[in-house]
Amino acid sequence: MEATCERAATLRLPSVAFTEHADLTPWVVRAGDPMSDVLRRWLRPDGRIAPRDLDVEGYLDCVQRCRERFPGLRVLTGVELSEPHWHPESTAALLSGGRFERVLGSVHSVGGRDEPRLVDHAMRVRPADVVVRDYLAEAGRMAASDAPFEVLAHIDYPVRHWPADGQPFRPGDFSGEFREVLTALAASGRALEINTKVPLALELVRWWADAGGAAVSFGSDAHRPRDLANGFAAAAEMALSCGFRPGDDPVELWRQPHRTRPGGA
Ligand SMILES: [Zn+2]
């Protein structure tokens, strides 16, 4: 985190948010699933992968160190909740005390609550388009839920695992499914993240504006300091072209000037 702040200072970013993972869903693994060293370490005797609980105190201590070392940088706390609509109790416990300033909700699983599979594992045994539809249906359920998150992260997450040897991924093939998620998200008053890892396709941001989406955030999903703010210039241009505008404060979400604030009246 300190190296990421150093990178932020080099890039002259005014602010950075560390939305640390809270992976609340224990995934089902099957024989033949590829297992990284990290996944293997988290494998439970019942055949599920359960990431370690977020060390909240350690995380907040580190944020504090970053703030002291980089007083010119606005360092926001944050958390990325994995399928929070399946885990209302652990989500409430984690957020009690209000120590996270930016709360993302994300889906990393398909197959539903009882048989949650990692998207990349599911893609190996089921057609990619079926997995994408399954993913978007779950994202829609999360968007329509009252789970306490402010921003929907990486709506295009399965594209990261889209097979390289077939047809390229085309957002238009799933426009109905994407629009359903975006409509539910807009109705909830939440914001859409423009995640630059893939990066997010322009159509998605356009459909978000069409759906009445009021705000966007920017996320580089940087798990390494050197990836911080990757693709942000293009993402900002895309947001501007769809009518979103920055606020006076750099930590604010970018909004449609004529629309109400998410969560507001
Ligand atoms: Zn994620």
Side-chain angles (χ1 to χ4, degrees):
M1 286 164 73
E2 290 178 68
T4 296
C5 290
E6 239 162 63
R7 179 79 183 139
T10 304
L11 296 172
R12 304 227 225 146
L13 295 179
S15 174
V16 65
F18 291 101
T19 49
E20 190 54 73
H21 278 250
D23 291 314
L24 306 168
T25 300
W27 298 292
V28 172
V29 282
R30 302 225 182 95
D33 286 341
M35 298 279 281
S36 66
D37 289 346
V38 175
L39 292 186
R40 210 177 298 280
R41 218 180 306 143
W42 291 338
L43 186 61
R44 295 192 313 209
D46 66 356
R48 287 191 176 222
I49 297 170
R52 255 181 251 133
D53 287 347
L54 172 59
D55 169 10
V56 177
E57 298 310 323
Y59 163 82
L60 292 171
D61 284 352
C62 194
V63 168
Q64 194 48 37
R65 280 201 301 281
C66 289
R67 285 173 173 165
E68 283 162 13
R69 218 180 121 191
F70 299 90
L73 182 68
R74 294 271 295 280
V75 182
L76 296 195
T77 57
V79 66
E80 178 183 345
L81 304 167
S82 197
E83 296 91 20
H85 59 310
W86 292 347
H87 310 284
E89 280 166 26
S90 38
T91 295
L94 192 63
L95 299 186
S96 72
R99 297 186 292 177
F100 298 101
E101 291 163 294
R102 178 80 32 103
V103 180
L104 312 183
S106 65
V107 174
H108 296 111
S109 320
V110 291
R113 212 195 149 136
D114 296 330
E115 195 72 11
R117 304 266 289 142
L118 277 165
V119 169
D120 55 324
H121 289 172
M123 281 255 187
R124 298 169 73 92
V125 291
R126 291 166 63 205
D129 62 318
V130 173
V131 174
V132 169
R133 290 198 168 86
D134 188 348
Y135 180 90
L136 292 174
E138 198 59 63
R141 284 189 282 274
M142 187 176 76
S145 78
D146 60 359
F149 68 96
E150 176 191 17
V151 177
L152 173 66
H154 54 56
I155 190 173
D156 61 345
Y157 180 74
V159 184
R160 299 180 189 187
H161 305 291
W162 187 262
D165 51 357
Q167 286 281 343
F169 175 80
R170 290 178 309 197
D173 293 345
F174 306 91
S175 59
E177 289 85 350
F178 274 119
R179 284 179 188 272
E180 255 178 58
V181 182
L182 295 170
T183 300
L185 190 70
S188 76
R190 298 186 181 98
L192 180 74
E193 177 191 71
I194 301 181
N195 190 301
T196 59
K197 195 151 191 160
V198 168
L200 191 66
L202 172 63
E203 291 99 310
L204 268 299
V205 185
R206 244 187 234 142
W207 296 339
W208 175 231
D210 289 351
V216 293
S217 73
F218 298 91
S220 49
D221 219 325
H223 287 66
R224 298 172 301 192
R226 67 170 183 266
D227 293 335
L228 181 67
N230 271 353
F232 269 25
E237 224 166 87
M238 203 159 67
L240 285 171
S241 79
C242 296
F244 296 93
R245 296 289 176 269
D248 296 331
D249 185 335
V251 306
E252 280 179 38
L253 302 177
W254 285 29
R255 298 178 192 282
Q256 291 281 352
H258 56 283
R259 293 196 185 134
T260 52
R261 302 171 67 85

